């Protein structure tokens, strides 16, 4: 028996592999297959849908031993081919044809798929790479002065973004605007809560500096902001 | 220095909020390129604002 077949055989005996495969099959059969095999969908959509299913079912087989490969096949591959399927079956995904019930069930199915690929977090006592060199974080008894205003403003800004997205008139564009708003809102609140709790923390001198990572992030920001602004200015 | 970094981080967060706001506004106004530009700038500003406050031992 080749090592690959051995890995697959061993994975099949665990309880997680069948669970993850069923979750992928569920998400595929509710959200991908109906779009791909609907009337008016392109032939490529059907091919991509079948490939997505193969990826979704093959990935969990590598869950126990070759986890990295399994994740690339089962998550990245599956999602990429599912997205390609949707891209080639746009008539079936028109908001007028979307059933709210199927949309709700589909959301649930993708949530189950995401949970099926869950990872057990390392225990707090497990030694982590680079921990020894990290700056010490002294404990505090209260939140920094600006924490609450920063979080409040961020939450209100997120709600405002949702309201702005509702201005969109076309249904397809509105769907994209809402999706963008949800993603942006999640990122905004996550970053704001991180800033709000980290703000004003006393650290040793080396703990907060313009490290190469920070300088790189700022440089990319300046280059993209200035370059994009100039391009927009000269284009119009 | 630490205080200035805190303020700079909050300024970047505010910049990200403004960029996202105008980005979604542009998206609803069918200005796709402008929307994409503003959303990318917002994301980069957000990343820079959190990177600034992350404790590190590396020297700069």
């Amino acid at each position: 028996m080749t090592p690959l077949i051995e890995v697959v055989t061993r994975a099949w005996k665990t309880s997680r592999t069948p669970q993850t495969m069923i979750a992928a099959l569920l998400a595929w059969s509710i959200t991908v297959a109906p779009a791909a095999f609907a009337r008016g969908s392109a032939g490529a959509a059907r091919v991509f849908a079948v490939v997505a299913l193969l990826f979704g079912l093959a990935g969990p087989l590598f869950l126990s031993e070759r986890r990295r490969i399994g994740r690339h096949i089962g998550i990245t591959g599956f999602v990429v081919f599912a997205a390609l399927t949707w891209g080639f079956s746009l008539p079936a995904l028109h908001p007028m044809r979307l059933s709210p019930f199927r949309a709700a069930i589909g959301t649930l199915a993708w949530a189950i798929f995401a949970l099926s690929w869950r990872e057990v977090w390392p225990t707090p006592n497990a030694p982590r790479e680079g921990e020894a060199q990290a700056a010490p974080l002294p404990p505090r008894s209260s939140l920094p002065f600006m924490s609450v205003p920063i979080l409040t403003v961020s939450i209100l800004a997120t709600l405002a973004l949702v309201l702005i997205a509702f201005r969109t008139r076309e249904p397809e564009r509105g769907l994209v605007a809402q999706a963008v708003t949800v993603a942006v809102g999640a990122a905004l609140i996550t970053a704001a809560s991180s800033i709000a709790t980290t703000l004003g923390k006393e650290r040793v001198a080396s703990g907060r500096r313009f490290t190469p990572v920070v300088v790189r992030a700022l440089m990319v920001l300046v280059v993209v902001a200035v370059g994009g602004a100039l391009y927009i200015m000269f284009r119009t | 220095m630490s205080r200035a970094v805190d303020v700079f981080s909050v300024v970047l967060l505010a910049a990200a909020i403004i960029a996202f706001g105008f980005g979604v506004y542009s998206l609803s106004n069918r200005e796709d390129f402008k929307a994409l530009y503003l959303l990318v700038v917002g994301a980069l500003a957000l990343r820079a604002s959190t990177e600034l406050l992350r404790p590190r031992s590396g020297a700069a």
Side-chain angles (χ1 to χ4, degrees):
Chain A
M1 226 173 10
T2 60
L4 191 67
I5 296 173
E6 282 176 18
V7 169
V8 170
T9 314
R10 276 199 293 272
W12 186 251
K13 287 175 186 165
T14 64
S15 61
R16 275 198 64 190
T17 297
Q19 282 176 10
T20 313
M21 287 171 89
I22 291 168
L25 183 65
L26 192 70
W28 182 86
S29 59
I30 295 172
T31 58
V32 181
F37 296 100
R39 258 185 303 175
S41 297
R46 293 178 183 134
V47 175
F48 286 136
V50 172
V51 177
L53 179 65
L54 292 177
F55 271 68
L57 294 178
L61 293 173
F62 300 95
L63 246 176
S64 54
E65 287 171 54
R66 298 189 186 176
R67 189 161 293 192
R68 195 179 169 82
I69 296 172
R71 290 172 73 88
H72 278 308
I73 296 172
I75 302 176
T76 315
F78 182 59
V79 172
V80 164
F81 281 103
L84 281 171
T85 306
W86 292 325
F88 280 88
S89 49
L90 287 177
L93 296 173
H94 194 276
M96 299 296 284
R97 289 178 65 178
L98 278 182
S99 146
F101 178 72
R102 188 183 287 172
I105 299 286
T107 308
L108 197 66
W110 278 97
I112 292 169
F113 172 75
L115 282 173
S116 74
W117 278 98
R118 71 196 178 278
E119 291 288 336
V120 179
W121 287 17
T123 54
N125 293 330
R128 282 178 289 183
E129 199 182 334
E131 199 172 53
Q133 292 91 38
L137 301 171
R140 288 183 308 190
S141 57
S142 61
L143 281 171
F145 169 65
M146 286 297 284
S147 294
V148 176
I150 286 172
L151 261 182
T152 309
V153 168
S154 301
I155 292 167
L156 290 176
T158 303
L159 291 174
L161 289 178
V162 174
L163 292 178
I164 294 171
F166 271 113
R167 288 180 67 254
T168 316
R169 291 187 186 278
E170 301 94 332
E172 296 92 341
R173 188 174 285 273
L175 211 60
V176 174
Q178 290 294 338
V180 166
T181 306
V182 169
V184 161
L188 203 57
I189 290 176
T190 307
S193 53
S194 162
I195 290 169
T197 49
T198 321
L199 215 60
K201 249 180 187 173
E202 293 298 328
R203 290 199 182 88
V204 292
S206 64
R208 193 176 291 178
R209 273 186 185 180
F210 284 93
T211 57
V213 178
V214 174
V215 172
R216 204 181 310 133
L218 289 172
M219 287 291 286
V220 172
L221 171 63
V222 170
V223 168
V224 171
V226 174
L230 287 175
Y231 180 79
I232 290 172
M233 250 170 51
F234 287 115
R235 202 181 59 153
T236 50
Chain B
M1 177 67 176
S2 182
R3 186 87 176 160
V5 171
D6 284 353
V7 173
F8 189 41
S9 175
V10 175
V11 168
L12 282 173
L13 177 69
I17 290 173
I18 293 167
F20 284 143
F22 280 108
V24 177
Y25 182 80
S26 302
L27 193 63
S28 66
N29 280 350
R30 307 179 72 173
E31 296 170 307
D32 289 343
F33 184 82
K34 199 174 162 187
L36 189 67
Y37 162 68
L38 287 166
L39 290 170
V40 169
V41 167
L44 291 173
L46 206 61
R47 179 169 172 262
S49 71
T50 49
E51 287 288 349
L52 265 176
L53 296 181
R54 196 163 289 174
R56 278 194 192 86
S57 60

